[in-house]
Amino acid sequence: MHNKSIAVIGGGFCGMMTAVYLLQSPQPLDITIINDGYPFGRGVAYSAHTDKYLLNVRAINMSAFDDERFHFLDWLQQQPAYQKIPRNILVNVYAPRKLYGNYLQHIWQQALQNKNAATNINIIEKQAIDIKEQIDGVNIYFNDNKKMYANLVVLATGNTAPRHVFNQNKEFLNSEKYFANPWAKECVSNVRHLKNILIVGNGLTMIDTVQGLLENGFKGKLYTISPNGFKLIPHKYNLLVYEKIAEELPEEYNLREIFILVRNHIRSLTNVGIGAHLVIDALRPYTQQIWQGLSFDEKKYFVKRLSHAWTILRHRIPVHIYEMIQQQRMNGSMETIAGKITAITETADNITVKYSNHKSQKEEEIIVQRVINCTGPECDVRRSANELLRNLAASGLIIPDALHLGIEADAETGAVINRDGEKSERIFTTGGNLKGILWENTAVPDIRVHVKKLASHLSAKLQQQAIY
Ligand SMILES: Cc1cc2nc3c(=O)[nH]c(=O)nc-3n(C[C@H](O)[C@H](O)[C@H](O)COP(=O)(O)OP(=O)(O)OC[C@H]3O[C@@H](n4cnc5c(N)ncnc54)[C@H](O)[C@@H]3O)c2cc1C
């Protein structure tokens, strides 16, 4: 009798960890991981090309396993550069993302060693571009016109390149001076050291890019632009945990009530000189639950009016990196603009960028040698740079969630919902694709929980004879 088969599209943290759990299944399976673009088991985040790119989550919270809190910490403690660091300090370390990728490789090797001998694992390094449902499974199509069959498929497609940031001068999108994928090494290499650069975006990817450019000897001026300007804050009070707000959370969630509760707690902390982000950290274990309890209108309001503040308090940077950026800003090597690009013109040597400056309320311009798009992953599946997601959205096998933040799916199992509102028996998703459903399902502390749940659901499903 042949094994039941499952394909996982995407070999980043989510795809690999889903497979790690499936490899533990006592039932023999044929598992195929389809991965293209970034190295298997590392994905975008953990294939960083330099040690300068750090985790933005403390070591204590980066275990790949939800039920083994110290798993990463124990591994890290054994690495040469960390052996002598006391444990109480190690918990607060922001390790290089590349090193975290080595940790994931270690997990994979162990999973292979311990797998059921009758389970087959196959990694295909090709791009999946479409899926068609069959009576008892799915056909997955590749960009070389080949296809494969599986009983179930998981879309662990992860981070897609950012949306293009300007509607004017579209020809510039094809320019060699425009860097559309901020995670590619080319963004920060081969720069002319003294000529200015514009980074579009003022978030965490901007921080990486600045570090990458400086590491490569860049000495010109760096401009960064986004509607709200630079607002990132450092991680502080690492050892403090503020639990009070959790005790006061209502049974049923109402955005207005929660907003007032959060605001009051933030006020009482900031009044005594403690940062507001402790309140947001305290809400993290409840975020998915709160989000699911909100109405569509409340979610829409949150995304429009409050998500920027949430993002600032949530996505912080290590103190030493924050200080380095502030130093760059103070010495004039870096200028952060709150504004919006209005026109881009390219000449043989330069790019002229016009923008409306929200502070001065004036139209201004700068001359730069390259423009790097660091605005964050595109969420809307219909506009995605990922051909597979676009094709699935076009055929109606997946649909965007109501807020177009990802894929409409069942929160628990990740089963996608099709154009007719039916929950799929064969196609599942996880990771950032569930942003609209869970709001926070991007960082390791959240995705490790979901992939475990997903893998357990898939194992149970594959054991049911009924799927044939
Ligand atoms: C730059 C960056 C830094 C981050 N840092 C942290 C951090 O410090 N801590 C933290 O907790 N989280 C961090 N995150 C969040 C991060 O998204 C998750 O931790 C995790 O890496 C997500 O893994 P993933 O598998 O969902 O996606 P990805 O890592 O994006 O992996 C998806 C993989 O699937 C491949 N793929 C997609 N579509 C197809 C297809 N059609 N065919 C074949 N292959 C396909 C992609 O090319 C990629 O290799 C970071 C994210 C980014 C972008």
Side-chain angles (χ1 to χ4, degrees), residues 9-15 34-39 42-46 54-57 62 97 126-129 156-159 183 205 208 377 386 388 431-432 442-445 447:
I9 304 180
F13 180 98
C14 287
I34 300 159
N35 184 57
D36 185 49
Y38 297 92
R42 292 179 180 268
V44 185
Y46 312 119
L54 302 182
L55 295 174
N56 54 35
V57 176
M62 282 302 287
R97 297 210 300 267
K126 282 201 280 194
Q127 191 194 345
I129 55 165
T157 50
N159 300 282
W183 306 302
T205 302
D208 279 351
N386 194 323
L388 172 68
T442 308
V444 166
I447 52 183

Side-chain angles (χ1 to χ4, degrees), residues 18 28 128 165 208 292 325:
T18 304
V165 272
D208 279 351
Q292 289 175 76
I325 293 285

Side-chain angles (χ1 to χ4, degrees), residues 301-313 315 439:
Y301 182 86
F302 178 86
V303 169
K304 203 160 173 209
R305 304 265 173 226
L306 303 172
S307 65
H308 181 66
W310 173 272
T311 303
I312 289 164
L313 293 169
H315 299 282
W439 181 245

